[in-house]
Amino acid sequence: MPAILIIDDNASVGTALDVLFSLHDIDTLQAQSPAEGLALLESQAVDLVIQDMNFSEDTTSGEEGEALFAQIRERHPDLPVILLTAWTHLSSAVDLVKAGAADYLAKPWDDRKLLTTVNNLLELSEARRELDQRRQREQRQRHALEDKYALCGAVFADPASERVIALACQVARSELPVLITGPNGAGKEKIAQIIQANSLVAKGPFVAVNCGALPSELIEAELFGAEAGAYTGANKAREGKFEAADGGTLFLDEIGNLSLGGQMKLLRVLETGRFERLGSNRERQVKVRVVSATNADLPAMIREGTFREDLYYRLNTVELTLPPLADRPGDIVPLAEHFLSIGKPLSSAAASALQRHLWPGNVRELRNVIQRAELLATGNRIEVADLNLPRAPAAPRPTPSAGNDPDRARIEEVLARNHGVIAQAANELGLSRQALYRRMDRHGIPRE
């Protein structure tokens, strides 16, 4: 049950507010002086403060209330405070609201308005507390992950990234092939490096091949090597990437670009560890952990006959899906700060603009934006204008109606996107918290 601290030298005010709030399942604590109120704040858990502005007889200046408010704000910067007084001073009210006061109400107050303000602030306070608790849990989990595994300098803060990295670390010590799926520029190679660093072949070589950057006629030679004269321009024998990765990990990026002939050879290597160089009949033996990646829809390519089904199932014994950056909003600002190189911090407005952008180019686009902004910024901070981001139209807020009530799948989707924070999920759905709880109960969704 939420608790409100009432600091007012008039006992009748405290009694009236206690009766009002008790009718709405809200506990109250009472103090009749600033010193008593500050002491209670140090010893009791409080969700909101309602304080008077004058505590001495024949005093109407509000200076005592301003001093108390300043002390509360200094000791508890996130605690909402409502100022209550019989002597209103518009200039003081404006100044204190600018300093962080939640509201400024005159005595005698309007019960309905006061309750509305209090309920809104309590909901925001609860949402902030839930979010802080979740962030603390996630931070502890990240630190535990960093202490246990080598993460190769990965920068992440979003739970979606953490899940992928944790699973990569978990499967790293097996010898099974891993397929990493996700859009271009999302960071798939970093996941492959983490797998290598925590594998049984961590001390072996890590060799990366971008199959999409090579002409199809050269991919096989790049992977398996070639003898002299095997193709035009092959003046001498050359070692392939499988041989170079022997005893380590071979990362095959854009595996969907491999030709059908190359796919057949790759399947054989995965099954036997043996292959021939292009233009040679002599078999060679290697022991290589294969990690592959693609942004292509391999099942669709199988249906079209451009990708072998047996190779697909051999490659994705373990499949890791890395979401696009837009679906990992918690990563955006930490990554941007990581890419900064000349000491100019992001302004809060610039950080907000980065989080609103959709990032079709993912992490690669973010790095380019930050590098360009550092070059163009003339002030001490990077501002929104320095980012040169396109303006995106604001998405309309969904408003459920009788014929468009969110179903179970929609509610679970929004809860997951908001990390279980009820107030934020309710706001996105256009519902009150109580209305969302009713729908959760109706659909059998547990209240965590």
Side-chain angles (χ1 to χ4, degrees), residues 62-114:
E63 291 178 357
E64 293 171 313
E66 291 178 16
L68 173 59
F69 173 75
Q71 292 180 76
I72 294 174
R73 180 59 62 237
E74 180 180 357
R75 301 181 189 185
H76 307 276
D78 296 325
L79 184 63
V81 178
I82 296 176
L83 307 174
L84 199 61
T85 182
W87 303 91
T88 57
H89 300 276
L90 182 59
S91 60
S92 297
V94 172
D95 290 342
L96 290 174
V97 169
K98 286 181 178 178
D103 208 343
Y104 194 109
L105 301 180
K107 297 177 183 177
W109 58 84
D110 181 301
D111 282 355
R112 182 180 300 176
K113 180 178 179 182
L114 179 58

Side-chain angles (χ1 to χ4, degrees), residues 423-444:
Q424 293 180 356
N427 181 63
E428 181 173 338
L429 290 167
L431 302 169
S432 68
R433 292 177 72 254
Q434 293 76 14
L436 177 54
Y437 276 132
R438 287 195 297 271
R439 284 160 177 78
M440 290 171 65
D441 293 341
R442 183 196 311 159
H443 291 297

